[in-house]
Amino acid sequence: MTSVQSEKLEKLHAIDRECIHLEQIASLLHWDQETYLPEMGAEDRSDQLALMEGIYHERFTSPEIGKLLAELGSTSDNPRGDEKLPDIERDFLRVVRKEYDKAVKLPNEFVIAMAKAEGLSQAAWVKARKENDFPSFLPHLVKMIDFAKQGAVYWGYTGNPYDGLLDIYEPGMDSAAIDAVFIPLRERLSVLLKDISSKPAPDVSFLSRGYDTSVQAKFNEELMKKLGFDTRRGRLDVSAHPFTIELGSEDVRITTRYFSDLLFSAIFSTIHECGHAFYEMSIPKELRGTSIGCGASMGVHESQSRFWENVLGRSLPFWETFFPLIKKHFPKELADVSVEKFYQAANEAKPSLIRVEADEVSYCLHIILRFELEKKLFSGELDPADLPGVWRQRMKEIIGVEPETDSDGVLQDTHWSGGMFGYFPSYALGNLYGLQFYEKIKSDIPNFSAGADKDNFAQLHAWLNDNIYVWGRRLEPPELLKKVTGQKLGSDAFLNYIETKYRGIYRL
Ligand code: CO
């Protein structure tokens, strides 16, 4: 690398650092909005957030970035730039180039028109969902699909625009690769779910015995520390919808929510968000605060959160370790509950209408349904007006239940009203990546057990660190998967895990 190149890189890094700081400032406003903001503060807060977004956008699309990228040899066709630059800098250039192109290729008028339409569309969706009135939302949905298609054209996608949209959330993935894993997933999970439905449901009545939420909070704080959460570098608060947010390179916040009659809600939300937080907290120091200092993608992030929540958190060895702890907090409520009963209740599976309430078996089926519909909406095979009927029919075929209202059907999720098409597959891909990683963990750490790694899961953290966290966002998901497991994306690891586990629980 020449001294001129290193000077230009330094300039680019300085702008990048500023952009990350602007993002973190906006995140702090956002975190506060979701946790402690008094009701009357909402209006000013939304103005403050809009202002921050404008400043960020201006900074991130400044021609200076384009100039520096070009001088370092990074173009749309060769995003990694000059071959003589160090690998880590070339990975940095690739990410900045891709993001920069995405931001500057959309004309200003288009961005403004889309933002306006999005606001109206989201308001229309809230109302339509409340009143079970799909026709009133339809024109907005059509508009959002058109904007998404047009955006993909600006970005230069010539085939099915849906592939361009998938690339936003899951770089390097396209609908053909996803189809190849979703088809066996759909077939085998549908069979398993049907088999489970023929068996008696576990007794879950003890979960609604009235669990004091302040005692729940104590247990959750204790649990997250035992999983390895360093409270000097983050904290746990309460919000309506649990989330993880990074406010600085040594400050990662998570949230959960407590219900006295739903004991599991907070526990599994907390474990899930811990999985996200561990990823963010463990990115190598030299990458933190840069555009490659975060997770690889939405899907890889979910691979971490779902792995902690489901593979570890809903396993028997995990509760053999932690059941005595929760029993100490709720001795009366759990007096007649055994660890086996607790474990079975944590893994109840049944066909349900609502995605966010779905269990480990049916969750992917909810995603596959949405993926199939999105693909057809963008290829023109499906008219948006026909969505409610097709939704009901596919729900019946894939999951075995049919919603009575569109509110419980096609109107249940916010994603489409916000123009987030191509986002859903990431959730299911996270399950698949997670189990592919887990197979490698089991072969690298002999006798690995979710209950035995008592030293704050130090062994597991070390593995995740060396294999996943260390890359930050340097690799796209398919490259990361290959590097860690030597394999391409596949559904076998997940399906074998889920079939073995549930055939055991339900004695199939
Ligand atoms: Co998540």
Side-chain angles (χ1 to χ4, degrees):
M1 176 165 63
T2 67
S3 63
V4 176
Q5 282 177 325
S6 93
E7 202 181 295
K8 298 208 181 294
L9 263 172
E10 215 163 283
K11 273 190 191 154
L12 189 59
H13 273 293
I15 301 175
D16 184 58
R17 243 188 329 268
E18 257 183 42
C19 289
I20 300 282
H21 281 151
L22 287 171
E23 248 176 356
Q24 290 168 339
I25 294 166
S27 293
L28 175 58
L29 292 173
H30 188 79
W31 171 83
D32 176 69
Q33 173 180 279
E34 302 299 318
T35 50
Y36 295 104
L37 186 73
E39 201 184 320
M40 302 283 280
E43 214 176 301
D44 277 348
R45 181 53 48 89
S46 103
D47 290 345
Q48 293 159 358
L49 276 162
L51 174 65
M52 285 305 299
E53 200 175 312
I55 295 172
Y56 172 82
H57 189 76
E58 201 183 304
R59 195 78 190 104
F60 191 68
T61 52
S62 82
E64 202 185 345
I65 297 185
K67 192 165 161 271
L68 288 165
L69 282 169
E71 286 168 348
L72 288 158
S74 169
T75 61
S76 302
D77 294 330
N78 176 37
R80 299 181 79 238
D82 194 302
E83 276 172 24
K84 289 193 262 331
L85 297 173
D87 272 345
I88 190 164
E89 298 296 358
R90 298 195 71 201
D91 295 340
F92 169 71
L93 291 179
R94 178 179 61 76
V95 167
V96 176
R97 164 56 76 187
K98 210 163 163 177
E99 299 270 297
Y100 180 75
D101 278 357
K102 281 225 159 93
V104 297
K105 279 183 180 171
L106 302 180
N108 240 335
E109 326 73 84
F110 176 81
V111 174
I112 293 165
M114 186 164 64
K116 266 196 193 141
E118 192 187 306
L120 295 175
S121 162
Q122 274 183 322
W125 167 73
V126 171
K127 191 158 175 283
R129 187 189 184 201
K130 209 159 117 201
E131 294 168 2
N132 186 35
D133 181 8
F134 178 79
S136 72
F137 174 56
L138 180 62
H140 296 278
L141 178 61
V142 170
K143 213 173 233 174
M144 293 317 289
I145 293 171
D146 286 342
F147 272 115
K149 279 184 183 164
Q150 184 59 44
V153 171
Y154 282 129
W155 287 329
Y157 287 92
T158 46
N160 185 345
Y162 188 51
D163 284 334
L165 302 171
L166 286 169
D167 192 68
I168 304 175
Y169 307 103
E170 222 41 40
M173 282 291 166
D174 59 28
S175 49
I178 296 176
D179 253 331
V181 289
F182 276 11
I183 290 169
L185 209 56
R186 189 186 65 213
E187 284 164 3
R188 282 166 67 180
L189 289 176
S190 286
V191 171
L192 180 62
L193 194 60
K194 212 172 269 164
D195 290 350
I196 289 173
S197 316
S198 69
K199 291 285 185 171
D203 175 14
V204 295
S205 59
F206 71 89
L207 294 172
S208 50
R209 278 177 181 166
Y211 294 84
D212 186 327
T213 53
S214 61
V215 181
Q216 284 193 47
K218 272 189 206 134
F219 170 72
N220 276 267
E221 291 272 355
E222 219 170 307
L223 179 64
M224 72 183 217
K225 280 183 213 159
K226 288 201 183 290
L227 302 184
F229 192 102
D230 182 351
T231 47
R232 297 168 309 166
R233 303 181 55 214
R235 49 179 289 136
L236 172 68
D237 291 274
V238 175
S239 67
H241 301 282
F243 63 93
T244 299
I245 199 160
E246 193 211 12
L247 303 186
S249 56
E250 302 287 354
D251 183 0
V252 179
R253 314 273 174 108
I254 61 173
T255 67
T256 193
R257 55 179 167 185
Y258 300 105
F259 300 100
S260 65
D261 57 347
L262 294 170
L263 177 62
F264 283 154
S265 179
I267 296 174
F268 290 112
S269 294
T270 302
I271 303 176
H272 181 97
E273 300 309 329
C274 274
H276 283 304
F278 293 150
Y279 195 2
E280 291 295 320
M281 285 170 147
S282 314
I283 302 287
K285 267 211 162 77
E286 68 269 25
L287 302 184
R288 282 189 224 154
T290 76
S291 279
I292 46 173
C294 56
S297 70
M298 272 289 309
V300 178
H301 240 295
E302 283 294 304
S303 81
Q304 298 307 298
S305 54
R306 276 161 206 276
F307 173 70
W308 282 90
E309 178 195 348
N310 293 327
V311 181
L312 301 181
R314 291 183 205 268
S315 72
L316 187 56
F318 185 90
W319 285 107
E320 279 166 348
T321 298
F322 293 109
F323 192 60
L325 186 67
I326 192 165
K327 219 163 170 165
K328 212 171 71 195
H329 287 280
F330 295 109
K332 269 207 319 269
E333 294 84 346
L334 293 173
D336 61 344
V337 179
S338 66
V339 65
E340 286 80 15
K341 194 172 167 183
F342 194 85
Y343 162 69
Q344 278 165 1
N347 290 289
E348 186 191 19
K350 60 173 183 214
S352 66
L353 295 173
I354 308 297
R355 175 185 61 89
V356 295
E357 291 164 11
D359 53 78
E360 241 187 318
V361 179
S362 53
Y363 191 85
C364 286
L365 295 172
H366 285 270
I367 297 303
I368 290 168
L369 167 85
R370 287 154 178 77
F371 168 73
E372 287 180 359
L373 298 181
E374 286 186 339
K375 218 172 44 170
K376 288 187 178 157
L377 284 172
F378 282 87
S379 68
E381 284 165 84
L382 174 60
D383 182 338
D386 296 333
L387 267 173
V390 179
W391 183 286
R392 278 194 290 274
Q393 184 199 335
R394 287 305 279 156
M395 272 297 285
K396 183 100 190 128
E397 286 163 1
I398 302 178
I399 303 185
V401 285
E402 204 182 320
E404 275 176 23
T405 65
D406 291 334
S407 301
D408 282 343
V410 68
L411 287 173
Q412 67 181 270
D413 299 302
T414 170
H415 303 60
W416 291 349
S417 73
M420 288 190 282
F421 304 99
Y423 188 115
F424 284 121
S426 299
Y427 296 120
L429 291 174
N431 279 333
L432 304 189
Y433 299 147
L435 266 298
Q436 287 187 272
F437 294 148
Y438 188 42
E439 294 221 316
K440 189 75 170 76
I441 291 173
K442 284 189 292 184
S443 83
D444 287 351
I445 309 176
N447 305 318
F448 175 81
S449 156
D453 199 354
K454 285 201 184 87
D455 185 16
N456 292 343
F457 289 85
Q459 242 189 335
L460 176 63
H461 281 297
W463 187 94
L464 292 169
N465 201 58
D466 294 346
N467 291 278
I468 314 254
Y469 304 157
V470 69
W471 293 105
R473 197 185 177 190
R474 290 183 62 184
L475 304 173
E476 294 197 336
E479 301 168 289
L480 178 69
L481 201 58
K482 181 102 192 153
K483 196 135 223 154
V484 177
T485 66
Q487 293 169 358
K488 285 201 318 205
L489 175 69
S491 55
D492 275 350
F494 176 74
L495 281 166
N496 293 342
Y497 150 80
I498 211 106
E499 284 170 349
T500 307
K501 177 173 172 182
Y502 282 87
R503 290 195 184 281
I505 293 172
Y506 282 89
R507 301 179 201 286
L508 292 165

